[in-house]
């Protein structure tokens, strides 16, 4: 019975750890995906359009650096993340999307990126040119705004399976899931200690659980995400997408590393306190 409970709790721990790591990664992954697929492309396109018109003597090579500068701005991913939260709320509650927040955030990113853009093209960008870029992006008939609204409308009128993807994202990314997972891991560790009547044997099963979680997160889950990204992209955005899985690899590496450390700790303590010598360690 004890062996069964140890195995059962370890399997549950693996599941909870994976859900927790997905919770910590999914918002960043989704924000980066949407930013790359919609926001960065449209923003850098409008910036390049204005700069090409204003500075015809600047080489295409330097103009193309604009996209790298916009893409490298972490603030844009944060803005897209907040926008995703709003989209999720809008779809779950059948309300109209409000694009003011994301458009204001994008114009702030443009303002902060001006020194880098000037350095890239070797020209001084005037306030008039900056305002022209902002107008092209924030105009109510702008391609970016229409793309955002069309995407939300498409999801709202789509099949239940597509809406279920959004609801699943909402569940996996919210703070309640994170809290439940953390509490769940603590309870499992305590139960492992009580069942085995040991202060340190939990490190053995926790180490195994973390090591298995690390392998699944770092190797198998990214393959599953890559296999599903085309379907998700076509259903939600109407285009093929590339979902970054770097955070999953990193989560797998961290979990695997902690798992190995816990297993080493168990082996050291198990040698120091042999079974026949300990009463309740």
């Amino acid at each position: 019975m004890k062996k069964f409970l140890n195995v059962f709790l370890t399997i549950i721990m693996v599941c909870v750890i994976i859900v927790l790591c997905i919770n910590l990664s999914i918002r960043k992954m989704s924000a980066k995906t949407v930013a790359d697929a919609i926001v960065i492309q449209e923003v850098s396109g409008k910036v390049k359009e204005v700069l090409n018109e204003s500075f015809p003597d600047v080489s295409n090579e330097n103009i193309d650096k604009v996209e790298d500068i916009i893409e490298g701005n972490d603030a844009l991913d944060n803005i897209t993340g907040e926008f995703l939260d709003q989209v999720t709320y809008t779809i779950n509650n059948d309300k109209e999307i409000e694009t003011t927040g994301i458009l204001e955030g994008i114009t702030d990113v443009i303002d902060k990126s001006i020194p880098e853009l000037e350095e890239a093209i070797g020209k001084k960008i005037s306030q008039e040119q900056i305002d022209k870029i902002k107008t092209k992006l924030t105009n109510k008939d702008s391609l970016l705004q229409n793309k955002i609204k069309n995407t939300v409308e498409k999801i709202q009128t789509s099949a239940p399976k597509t809406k279920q993807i959004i609801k699943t994202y909402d569940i996996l990314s919210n703070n309640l899931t994170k809290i439940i997972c953390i509490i769940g891991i603590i309870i499992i560790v305590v139960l492992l200690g009580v069942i085995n009547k040991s202060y340190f044997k939990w490190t053995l099963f926790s180490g195994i659980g973390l090591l298995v979680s690390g392998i699944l997160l770092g190797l198998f889950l990214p393959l599953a995400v890559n296999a599903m990204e085309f379907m998700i992209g076509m259903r939600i955005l109407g285009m093929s997408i590339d979902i970054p899985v770097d955070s999953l690899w990193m989560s797998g590496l961290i979990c695997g590393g902690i798992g190995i450390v816990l297993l080493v700790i168990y082996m050291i303590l198990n040698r120091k306190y042999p079974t026949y010598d300990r009463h309740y360690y």
Side-chain angles (χ1 to χ4, degrees):
M1 185 63 178
K2 187 162 77 170
K3 284 183 179 178
F4 170 77
L5 286 173
N6 282 329
V7 172
F8 177 73
L9 287 172
T10 303
I11 292 170
I12 297 297
M13 178 180 276
V14 169
C15 296
V16 174
I17 289 170
I18 288 173
V19 172
L20 177 61
C21 289
I22 291 173
N23 173 274
L24 296 171
S25 304
I26 193 168
R27 191 173 184 273
K28 183 179 178 181
M29 288 167 58
S30 302
K32 183 67 177 168
T33 301
V34 174
D36 288 347
I38 298 178
V39 181
I40 290 172
Q41 186 180 8
E42 294 301 328
V43 172
S44 60
K46 294 304 178 188
V47 174
K48 287 197 282 187
E49 185 182 317
V50 172
L51 294 181
N52 269 322
E53 290 172 0
S54 304
F55 308 109
D57 57 321
V58 176
S59 68
N60 289 332
E61 186 182 346
N62 285 341
I63 293 291
D64 287 340
K65 290 177 183 177
V66 167
E67 191 164 346
D68 294 331
I69 293 168
I70 300 296
E71 189 175 354
N73 197 311
D74 293 335
L76 205 55
D77 289 343
N78 295 333
I79 293 163
T80 310
E82 290 169 10
F83 169 68
L84 276 177
D85 294 339
Q86 188 185 342
V87 169
T88 304
Y89 175 80
T90 299
I91 290 168
N92 287 339
N93 295 279
D94 291 322
K95 294 191 175 182
E96 189 175 341
I97 187 70
E98 177 56 60
T99 58
T100 307
I102 187 170
L103 294 174
E104 286 178 356
I106 288 170
T107 56
D108 287 342
V109 169
I110 297 295
D111 282 331
K112 290 172 184 175
S113 299
I114 292 300
E116 287 182 79
L117 294 172
E118 288 176 337
E119 186 179 346
I121 64 173
K123 299 281 186 179
K124 178 73 176 173
I125 301 173
S126 68
Q127 188 59 50
E128 183 184 347
Q129 289 156 346
I130 295 169
D131 292 339
K132 192 174 180 181
I133 293 169
K134 289 180 181 179
T135 302
K136 283 181 177 287
L137 289 170
T138 58
N139 187 288
K140 66 177 182 178
D141 296 319
S142 72
L143 189 58
L144 177 60
Q145 205 164 167
N146 287 333
K147 230 176 185 180
I148 291 168
K149 286 184 176 178
N150 289 340
T151 299
V152 175
E153 285 171 10
K154 181 183 175 183
I155 297 169
Q156 286 176 324
T157 57
S158 63
K161 283 185 179 179
T162 304
K163 289 183 179 178
Q164 190 57 48
I165 294 173
I166 300 297
K167 288 178 181 177
T168 303
Y169 166 81
D170 187 33
I171 292 167
L172 288 173
S173 63
N174 67 42
N175 287 326
L176 181 60
T177 301
K178 187 187 301 177
I179 292 166
I180 291 171
C181 287
I182 292 170
I183 292 171
I185 291 169
I186 293 169
I187 291 171
I188 291 169
V189 169
V190 171
L191 287 174
L192 286 169
V194 171
I195 289 167
N196 293 284
K197 295 183 179 179
S198 169
Y199 287 134
F200 67 83
K201 201 166 184 181
W202 64 270
T203 58
L204 170 63
F205 299 104
S206 298
I208 293 169
L210 280 160
L211 194 56
V212 172
S213 301
I215 293 168
L216 292 174
L217 283 164
L219 295 179
F220 295 104
L221 203 56
L223 293 175
V225 170
N226 289 335
M228 294 189 297
E229 63 185 9
F230 179 78
M231 178 271 291
I232 294 170
M234 293 307 293
R235 281 192 175 177
I236 296 178
L237 300 176
M239 65 177 77
S240 59
I241 56 173
D242 181 26
I243 301 176
V245 292
D246 305 35
S247 52
L248 290 178
W249 289 333
M250 184 57 66
S251 296
L253 191 63
I254 291 169
C255 287
I258 295 172
I260 291 169
V261 170
L262 287 176
L263 290 172
V264 170
I265 290 171
Y266 171 75
M267 287 187 284
I268 292 170
L269 291 175
N270 198 46
R271 280 189 174 189
K272 188 173 181 182
Y273 303 106
T275 306
Y276 59 81
D277 214 13
R278 65 177 181 262
H279 302 288
Y280 194 76
Y281 297 106

